[in-house]
Amino acid sequence: MAEIIQKDGTWVFDGDALRLTPGRDKNVSPLRRELGELTVPLRASAGLSFEQGKKTGRLRLRLRDGADPLLQATGGRLTEPHDPYQLIVESDRYGVAEYLVDEVRRALLLDAVPTGPVDAYLLPGPSVPLSASAGDGSASFDGERVRLEWNWKTEESKASAGARSLGIAEIETVEWQPAVGLENGCLRFRLRHAPTKAPAKYDPNAVELWGFRKDPLMALVAAAVQARLPHPAAGPRDAVPAPREPDSAGGDDDHDALLRRLRELGELRRDGVLTDEEFTMAKQAVLKRL
């Protein structure tokens, strides 16, 4: 097991998953605190890197495209303080960070985890029920329905229609985007058969965001809804099933896959990608599975 404990948070890798726990430091963002501990299965990971700086460094976990409903809903627009897949590392822990990276990379190599996109979410999304207030309204979600309510700052034409209640079956897509410069952000729900080009200020299915501290909390509502919508990359129900990934259970297929893994490890050692020591460790792990 590899573990790094920092004021910004604690990351633990047990060989099968990375457990990311936000720290209690006052600089940890409300979004990360509210999101809480994340368990990222190895097969959802596309890589882990460490960047050194003069005073602090940064661990960055990269997920496979489509694995996380939070990243799907926010479109990669979460900035550094709010990104749960980054960890600030103090200079005296650089060695521990590098060890963690090595352990994750070795596991990804051993398990032959693909780096390509997935067609199903591998993380569950935020727990429900949850609610958040920011900008010109509040949004809550209980797993079945989204409720939007307005405050005194809401445009009159939008507020006059009253609170909105949207069933999950009515929602086609959900998006969250932050305020950037002079352009406001929003949490927007696009409904089936009801397209609109209205700005969030006038859209009764959107909360307008102005760039304040609580705005990112709306991303949690977006992610919880996103996790319950059909995956954007999922094919039709009658499509040919995709091949199982290497960590799937499956009798003889698993046995053959492990034998292929041994051959692949031998080729990696011959090509100089693996050292003799790394090859021996990886081979022993495969033989245990056999």
Side-chain angles (χ1 to χ4, degrees):
M1 185 175 74
E3 178 182 61
I4 183 168
I5 302 174
Q6 295 289 273
K7 292 187 297 183
D8 195 37
T10 299
W11 287 16
V12 179
F13 179 58
D14 62 7
D16 295 317
L18 267 163
R19 192 167 70 250
L20 317 179
T21 306
R24 298 180 179 180
D25 188 74
K26 64 179 181 180
N27 293 323
V28 174
S29 78
L31 181 147
R32 290 178 57 206
R33 291 184 183 183
E34 187 71 24
L35 187 59
E37 182 177 284
L38 288 174
T39 299
V40 182
L42 185 64
R43 64 194 179 104
S45 304
L48 179 65
S49 62
F50 176 58
E51 304 164 1
Q52 290 191 18
K54 291 182 179 181
K55 295 183 179 180
T56 60
R58 192 178 303 277
L59 280 165
R60 295 181 188 271
L61 177 62
R62 184 166 58 89
L63 302 191
R64 297 170 65 186
D65 288 345
D68 180 24
L70 175 62
L71 297 183
Q72 186 72 41
T74 58
R77 291 183 288 264
L78 282 175
T79 55
E80 174 272 317
H82 313 295
D83 187 346
Y85 302 112
Q86 296 187 36
L87 182 72
I88 298 174
V89 179
E90 300 297 327
S91 58
D92 62 345
R93 306 300 286 171
Y94 282 2
V96 179
E98 290 170 346
Y99 173 72
L100 178 65
V101 170
D102 289 342
E103 288 296 294
V104 172
R105 287 178 175 173
R106 185 177 291 112
L108 289 170
L109 179 63
L110 174 61
D111 284 7
V113 176
T115 58
V118 296
D119 59 5
Y121 294 121
L122 303 180
L123 279 83
S127 300
V128 295
L130 77 163
S131 62
S133 298
D136 68 350
S138 62
S140 58
F141 180 54
D142 62 5
E144 296 292 337
R145 302 194 71 83
V146 173
R147 182 172 176 82
L148 302 178
E149 298 182 87
W150 314 115
N151 56 38
W152 63 273
K153 294 171 284 187
T154 308
E155 175 68 25
E156 184 178 355
S157 61
K158 185 164 74 170
S160 62
R164 296 282 287 164
S165 180
L166 309 174
I168 194 71
E170 302 175 66
I171 301 171
E172 184 172 32
T173 60
V174 56
E175 64 183 47
W176 172 89
Q177 51 185 331
V180 178
L182 298 178
E183 185 176 348
N184 292 337
C186 70
L187 168 67
R188 188 191 302 272
F189 300 92
R190 297 192 183 277
L191 306 187
R192 302 180 187 279
H193 314 300
T196 179
K197 294 183 179 180
K201 182 177 182 178
Y202 303 103
D203 186 352
N205 300 316
V207 177
E208 186 179 33
L209 304 175
W210 300 319
F212 297 138
R213 180 175 172 80
K214 291 186 177 181
D215 283 10
L217 292 176
M218 287 292 189
L220 297 180
V221 179
V225 173
Q226 184 72 57
R228 290 160 177 79
L229 296 177
H231 193 282
R237 293 185 179 181
D238 57 353
V240 177
R244 287 197 303 265
E245 292 193 353
D247 59 342
S248 300
D252 292 339
D253 290 343
D254 277 354
H255 187 273
D256 292 341
L258 292 172
L259 291 176
R260 287 196 300 272
R261 193 75 46 76
L262 285 173
R263 290 194 292 270
E264 292 169 357
L265 290 171
E267 293 172 358
L268 290 171
R269 182 179 64 169
R270 287 194 298 273
D271 293 341
V273 176
L274 291 178
T275 65
D276 289 344
E277 181 182 358
E278 290 172 334
F279 169 75
T280 300
M281 292 176 58
K283 183 177 73 171
Q284 290 174 348
V286 173
L287 291 177
K288 286 181 180 179
R289 296 188 180 187
L290 282 170

